[in-house]
Amino acid sequence: MKYLQTRALVLSSRPFGETDRLLTLLAWDEGKIYAKAPGARRVKSKLAATVELFTCGSFLLYKGRTLFTVSQAQVETSFRELLVHVEDYARGLYFAELVERLLPEGEPNPAVFQLLVNAWSMLREGKGDRELLTRFFELRFLLLLGFRPHCDGCIFCGDRNGPFYWNTAAGGIFCESCRPAQQPGISLSRGTYALLKNLQRVSERELATLRVQQAQQKELADFTGRFLQYWTEPGPLKSLSFMAELRGRQSPGE
Ligand SMILES: [Zn+2]
């Protein structure tokens, strides 16, 4: 039997069979994998705490024909605090769901692992603006997967001053005079464009100190939303509708 000892993040943990759980893990050495946690739903199970969503643990797994099975596991860091505030929970879940949906199975990607740990930590510690952290996560995750939007000036004439318009079909930005009349695209003002470029390179520490205007936040969210929609076909992420519902509850007047 093939054993694997690895650090892993729990991306999802679903009831499976009578007493088991089925986990999607992001393992440091193996990338995204699926694993069964036998008996994890029993009251006295030693595995119960380790196989919860938002856990970073040390796992001993053995590899079966279709699934890994958790043999032993210990909690390294728990991000359980994200379960306390519904807003943090929704965002933490969204980050996990994006990774679960878009990362190919069985391809190690330590940079994505680190990005997710850092994002969960920042949410837990309440550092910086949550909405901006979400944009940062989306953009950096896509960059790490190689989905780079072409945002180095107008794709037709090369203009670098803006304002620009994101065109999903073309996979790039147009300036005011080059944008096609039939597909006007999503507006990216000069400020939002600068913010987009900035988020692609700032460190997490710098991110925590950034403050941006509401209008730029909205433009950027429209942009990443449209860009991600393209990559997350065939269906939207459940956590996205959950976050939209929360926003609706918080601002019923809008
Ligand atoms: Zn142009």
Side-chain angles (χ1 to χ4, degrees):
M1 219 174 278
K2 247 177 105 183
Y3 277 90
L4 168 71
Q5 174 77 57
T6 185
R7 284 176 83 201
L9 305 174
V10 181
L11 300 179
S12 78
S13 176
R14 300 182 172 94
F16 187 61
E18 289 273 301
T19 58
D20 304 346
R21 283 195 166 276
L22 181 63
L23 315 176
T24 309
L25 298 174
L26 177 58
W28 182 266
D29 305 88
E30 290 277 321
K32 184 176 78 179
I33 55 173
Y34 299 97
K36 186 172 79 167
R41 275 152 65 220
R42 290 208 181 99
V43 181
K44 287 183 179 169
S45 168
K46 283 184 187 161
L47 288 181
T50 332
V51 301
E52 280 182 2
L53 175 68
F54 303 138
T55 302
C56 176
S58 163
F59 287 81
L60 179 65
L61 306 153
Y62 65 85
K63 195 174 186 176
R65 259 189 309 154
T66 53
L67 279 179
F68 283 87
T69 301
V70 181
S71 175
Q72 291 170 30
Q74 276 185 323
V75 178
E76 226 175 74
T77 315
S78 167
F79 298 91
R80 285 188 61 98
E81 292 91 335
L82 298 184
L83 299 167
V84 179
H85 299 288
V86 69
E87 171 88 2
D88 291 339
Y89 169 75
R91 284 178 203 274
L93 182 66
Y94 173 57
F95 299 160
E97 214 182 340
L98 266 186
V99 175
E100 188 179 13
R101 177 77 74 92
L102 292 180
L103 196 69
E105 196 180 339
E107 287 179 20
N109 197 327
V112 170
F113 187 107
Q114 201 55 56
L115 178 70
L116 184 56
V117 168
N118 292 350
W120 280 349
S121 305
M122 286 180 74
L123 267 185
R124 180 178 62 179
E125 286 148 30
K127 278 188 187 163
D129 181 309
R130 286 193 192 109
E131 195 62 22
L132 205 55
L133 170 63
T134 307
R135 301 292 88 77
F136 172 84
F137 184 86
E138 291 166 336
L139 288 166
R140 298 297 269 262
F141 176 55
L142 289 172
L143 283 180
L144 290 173
L145 292 187
F147 303 155
R148 179 185 285 271
H150 295 285
C151 289
D152 292 318
C154 171
I155 52 173
F156 194 71
C157 74
D159 169 64
R160 285 177 178 267
N161 294 317
F164 296 107
Y165 299 86
W166 168 256
N167 185 302
T168 307
I173 52 175
F174 286 103
C175 71
E176 181 87 62
S177 32
C178 299
R179 65 173 168 156
Q182 272 85 27
Q183 289 176 309
I186 296 170
S187 167
L188 284 176
S189 64
R190 290 195 178 102
T192 307
Y193 178 67
L195 174 63
L196 167 66
K197 304 291 281 182
N198 199 12
L199 286 180
Q200 289 179 336
R201 58 175 173 249
V202 286
S203 67
E204 274 93 349
R205 188 178 297 178
E206 289 164 326
L207 174 71
T209 62
L210 278 186
R211 295 286 173 273
V212 300
Q213 293 165 6
Q214 210 59 29
Q216 289 177 1
Q217 290 266 29
K218 191 181 175 314
E219 270 193 359
L220 194 64
D222 284 348
F223 162 73
T224 57
R226 203 63 70 90
F227 190 55
L228 274 163
Q229 203 178 27
Y230 179 77
W231 291 104
T232 51
E233 291 296 344
L237 301 170
K238 275 182 281 173
S239 48
L240 263 185
S241 19
F242 183 35
M243 283 202 293
E245 197 184 307
L246 285 179
R247 271 196 297 273
R249 262 192 249 163
Q250 281 156 4
S251 50
E254 279 183 15

